Amino acid sequence: MSNTTKVLPLLEPEVPETVVPCCPPLTERPFTAEEAETAARMFKALGDPVRLRLFSAVASHEGGEACVCDISDVGVSQPTVSHHLKKLKDAGLLTSERRGTWVYYRVEPSVLAAMGKLLTVAPSAA
Amino acid sequence: MSNTTKVLPLLEPEVPETVVPCCPPLTERPFTAEEAETAARMFKALGDPVRLRLFSAVASHEGGEACVCDISDVGVSQPTVSHHLKKLKDAGLLTSERRGTWVYYRVEPSVLAAMGKLLTVAPSAA
DNA sequence: CGTCTATGTTGACATACGTCGAACCAAGTC
DNA sequence: GACTTGGTTCGACGTATGTCAACATAGACG
């Protein structure tokens, strides 16, 4: 039975080929200074516990977006939350949009996929 | 979402079970403070351009290991290289071993895989 | 042993970073 | 308009970080 070979469209609404070609996998070849600069910026953005929690909260929220009020319970003051959300936004990991009273943040799916590719264990290496 | 509820085993090829169970994918559920602390430590280690270049140089080197002398051309002084390699080691991303005159660093493949999983776009989320 | 090469460690310094309180802006509500 | 709630920006402060020069350590090789 070829049950596993069914290429059913497991809900890939986003995550298209538009994955930003930031850098090759870390294991493919030594990064250039420029590549390292770019990739480090993204890693750095996730290199703080509070930001990681905020990002995870947004990413795991209904539809990949969340109101600030829903995720700001991470143990720091609200200005600090805002500060970190801005950093994530500056790093290109989140986007924000104001809808009436509340501000909603949502993840940038392509960036997530790009980072995942960075950490791919080179299959050809072996 | 009735049609999409098929939980078919969408090709989970390698990624051995030896992957350290640090945290769930970022998109699965909000990280706890503890998970965030752990994961952030790894991201932080790669959040510096110099460290990223060093790590990439080691990871892409023959057999996933490299002598310091082979990778220390990243534009900073030798003590700084040593400092960053120590940080990567402390973060659990590299291991070192002295063989005669030279010291060799090698990647911790399980950690790489674990981080890759973190950035997995949750297939069940949606 | 002495010396040379390859790395790691220490101390110092400038900068970046995380955090908060206070002030400020944006939408609703009265 | 005034008041309330949600969120950002500003200014300040303490700490962490990246960097280097100088020194220390570990083998190799006479």
Side-chain angles (χ1 to χ4, degrees):
Chain A
M1 185 55 190
S2 58
N3 54 347
T4 60
T5 55
K6 284 186 188 176
V7 195
L8 92 167
L10 51 100
L11 27 116
E12 49 167 10
E14 295 97 18
V15 201
E17 306 311 309
T18 63
V19 168
V20 290
C22 134
C23 312
L26 276 166
T27 55
E28 190 174 305
R29 59 168 172 74
F31 270 23
T32 67
E34 214 173 83
E35 289 168 342
E37 203 77 44
T38 303
R41 209 168 304 143
M42 300 192 297
F43 282 117
K44 194 177 201 174
L46 295 180
D48 178 272
V50 174
R51 279 199 293 273
L52 209 43
R53 289 186 73 184
L54 290 171
F55 185 82
S56 172
V58 172
S60 63
H61 213 262
E62 182 85 16
E65 87 169 10
C67 163
V68 176
C69 55
D70 285 330
I71 59 175
S72 41
D73 189 20
V74 288
V76 295
S77 70
Q78 210 237 348
T80 302
V81 169
S82 189
H83 167 73
H84 283 305
L85 286 173
K86 179 174 169 52
K87 281 220 160 187
L88 288 168
K89 201 167 118 183
D90 289 346
L93 296 174
L94 293 179
T95 59
S96 71
E97 179 195 358
R98 171 162 229 132
R99 288 210 289 276
T101 306
W102 296 282
V103 175
Y104 290 83
Y105 280 80
R106 79 170 26 248
V107 303
E108 200 59 57
S110 66
V111 176
L112 202 65
M115 288 190 72
K117 279 200 171 175
L118 271 189
L119 295 168
T120 299
V121 183
S124 56
Chain B
M1 56 182 280
S2 55
N3 55 342
T4 60
T5 52
K6 286 186 185 176
V7 195
L8 93 169
L10 53 100
L11 29 116
E12 47 171 1
E14 300 94 21
V15 197
E17 307 311 312
T18 62
V19 169
V20 290
C22 135
C23 311
L26 277 165
T27 54
E28 190 174 304
R29 58 169 173 74
F31 269 23
T32 67
E34 214 173 85
E35 289 168 343
E37 203 77 44
T38 303
R41 209 169 304 143
M42 301 191 298
F43 281 117
K44 194 177 200 173
L46 294 181
D48 178 90
V50 173
R51 280 199 292 273
L52 209 43
R53 289 185 73 185
L54 289 172
F55 184 82
S56 172
V58 172
S60 63
H61 212 263
E62 183 85 15
E65 87 170 10
C67 162
V68 176
C69 57
D70 286 331
I71 60 175
S72 41
D73 189 19
V74 288
V76 294
S77 70
Q78 183 267 331
T80 301
V81 168
S82 188
H83 167 73
H84 283 306
L85 286 173
K86 178 174 169 54
K87 282 220 159 186
L88 287 168
K89 202 168 118 183
D90 290 346
L93 297 173
L94 293 180
T95 59
S96 70
E97 180 196 356
R98 170 160 229 134
R99 287 210 290 277
T101 306
W102 294 281
V103 176
Y104 290 83
Y105 282 81
R106 78 170 27 248
V107 302
E108 201 59 55
S110 66
V111 176
L112 203 63
M115 289 190 72
K117 274 202 170 174
L118 272 188
L119 295 168
T120 299
V121 182
S124 57

